[in-house]
Amino acid sequence: MLKNKNLFLTALCFIPQFFFAQYTDVINSNRPGETMSAYAVGKSVIQAELGVYGIKEKHDLLNYDASGFGTDLTLRYGAFLEKLEFILDLQYQMENFDTPYTSYKKNNFRQTVLGAKYLIYDPYKNYKKEANIYSYKANHSFNWHELIPAVSLFAGANFVGADNPYYFSPQSAISPKVALITQNLFGGGKWVFVTNIIADYIGTDYPSYGYVLTLTHGFNDKWSGFIENQGYKSDFYSDAIVRGGAAYLINSNLQVDASVSTNFKNTPSILYGGVGVSWRYDGSYKEKQMEFKNKEKAKKNKDNEMEQREIDYQAKERKRKAKYE
């Protein structure tokens, strides 16, 4: 098991433990970035990631100013398999719009997504870097294995109610969403690079395609920081956003975070700022760990017993041969 709780094993850490489980010593949160990590929370683990944010927009072409706030909630549950995770992602937003001629408000769910993520490739499964006792340079050189990413697939659906002002149609709708997720660990886990390639609202009049790139660094056992670039394009709306922030580990199951986001255009220009918290319940998983440890201990005892029998047998054979020499 990993003994060094490097912070970034808090937000996006992912070296497998025990039997290459997805579970980590400290909480594995997707916050405060927008990328989805490649690894699951662990079988029977429940995790909630909650945030609140403020927003300010200004559209030079349409001549409006908007301000408001919102909340987002992600519920994650590991079930059936270590590699499988079910996800519910909700975002609710309220805004005030002011133009030279009128003012109005809009509020509704900006996002409601239900889906599942599955790890299809783990580069650390059955891999262990061997220490070279003869070469300091070999032990501290770049590990080329780190260039191989973990790969996951997400598949889910968007649920949109009727007359939602954040949707391009007044009708209610359900549409697919899929994502390809990759993740690399660098520097022994101090740096984590995650990519999401996303196809959203598939089959509708305005499908959206996008990406999110996140680089995170763990400064110590408690603090980490990240930078992120997100882009999406559709006939309904396109944008490119940069984001940055930090996370702080309170304990192994609780993390708080803060972030700020902006873009580089004025149709509209946007500025987001938010804070959040991530919480994990892993009581059931610890029972599974203990069960696994007991099995490993029994197997080790059995192996030791067989080894001792072999030693005794060899000793008897030597005595027998010595008797007739």
Side-chain angles (χ1 to χ4, degrees):
M1 179 179 289
L2 295 177
K3 295 182 180 179
N4 179 18
K5 296 183 180 180
N6 187 310
L7 171 62
F8 215 71
L9 300 178
T10 303
L12 294 167
C13 95
F14 318 107
I15 294 179
Q17 302 164 48
F18 289 117
F19 44 105
F20 304 106
Q22 307 304 293
Y23 177 86
T24 52
D25 280 350
V26 294
I27 186 170
N28 163 11
S29 175
N30 290 326
R31 291 191 58 86
E34 292 295 325
T35 48
M36 205 181 293
S37 66
Y39 290 91
V41 291
K43 187 177 178 181
S44 77
V45 174
I46 301 171
Q47 189 160 307
E49 302 170 9
L50 174 67
V52 292
Y53 61 89
I55 179 173
K56 185 173 180 59
E57 292 185 13
K58 180 176 177 61
H59 202 298
D60 289 351
L61 186 61
L62 298 180
N63 198 21
Y64 73 75
D65 290 284
S67 60
F69 66 95
T71 182
D72 50 74
L73 171 65
T74 300
L75 297 176
R76 304 168 62 185
Y77 179 63
F80 305 118
L81 302 169
E82 278 293 323
K83 299 179 179 181
L84 181 63
E85 174 181 298
F86 292 92
I87 302 169
L88 174 63
D89 195 0
L90 303 173
Q91 183 181 11
Y92 192 89
Q93 189 165 301
M94 294 162 279
E95 294 178 86
N96 297 317
F97 284 78
D98 295 308
T99 74
Y101 310 104
T102 185
S103 297
Y104 63 97
K105 298 180 179 180
K106 69 177 183 181
N107 59 281
N108 212 310
F109 282 97
R110 193 177 182 95
Q111 179 172 272
T112 304
V113 177
L114 177 63
K117 179 181 67 179
Y118 183 76
L119 178 69
I120 60 177
Y121 177 71
D122 182 357
Y124 291 97
K125 185 174 183 179
N126 301 323
Y127 169 80
K128 181 179 180 181
K129 183 180 179 181
E130 299 294 339
N132 188 332
I133 62 175
Y134 302 105
S135 174
Y136 176 89
K137 182 178 180 180
N139 288 326
H140 293 83
S141 61
F142 180 77
N143 183 5
W144 293 96
H145 189 83
E146 294 178 346
L147 293 177
I148 305 173
V151 181
S152 288
L153 288 176
F154 170 83
N158 293 284
F159 296 86
V160 182
D163 299 319
N164 188 324
Y166 296 108
Y167 193 59
F168 46 78
S169 170
Q171 305 298 321
S172 61
I174 301 175
S175 59
K177 176 179 181 178
V178 296
L180 173 67
I181 304 163
T182 68
Q183 182 169 314
N184 295 84
L185 294 172
F186 298 109
K190 291 183 178 180
W191 294 90
V192 181
F193 181 63
V194 182
T195 69
N196 289 185
I197 307 299
I198 306 164
D200 209 354
Y201 300 108
I202 301 170
T204 67
D205 293 336
Y206 297 96
S208 176
Y209 304 96
Y211 69 88
V212 193
L213 310 175
T214 305
L215 179 64
T216 307
H217 178 59
F219 300 110
N220 52 45
D221 290 349
K222 295 293 185 180
W223 285 99
S224 70
F226 84 101
I227 55 173
E228 185 172 272
N229 174 232
Q230 179 179 12
Y232 41 91
K233 182 176 179 58
S234 74
D235 292 339
F236 184 67
Y237 181 71
S238 300
D239 210 341
I241 296 172
V242 292
R243 188 175 291 112
Y248 179 78
L249 179 65
I250 296 177
N251 59 49
S252 61
N253 291 318
L254 186 64
Q255 171 192 293
V256 293
D257 62 75
S259 65
V260 62
S261 310
T262 189
N263 65 351
F264 297 104
K265 66 178 189 176
N266 54 15
T267 55
S269 63
I270 62 172
L271 179 64
Y272 287 68
V275 295
V277 61
S278 301
W279 171 82
R280 176 178 74 172
Y281 173 74
D282 60 354
S284 299
Y285 193 87
K286 291 179 180 177
E287 294 176 4
K288 295 180 183 297
Q289 285 185 335
M290 186 60 68
E291 179 182 348
F292 177 78
K293 288 180 180 179
N294 291 337
K295 289 181 179 179
E296 282 293 291
K297 184 176 181 180
K299 182 178 182 300
K300 186 176 181 179
N301 291 338
K302 184 177 180 181
D303 291 342
N304 290 339
E305 183 180 348
M306 292 179 66
E307 183 178 352
Q308 187 60 47
R309 287 180 181 178
E310 179 65 21
I311 293 172
D312 294 342
Y313 174 78
Q314 293 295 338
K316 289 180 181 179
E317 281 295 298
R318 287 194 296 270
K319 288 181 179 180
R320 185 182 65 79
K321 290 179 180 180
K323 182 177 180 181
Y324 294 99
E325 288 180 354

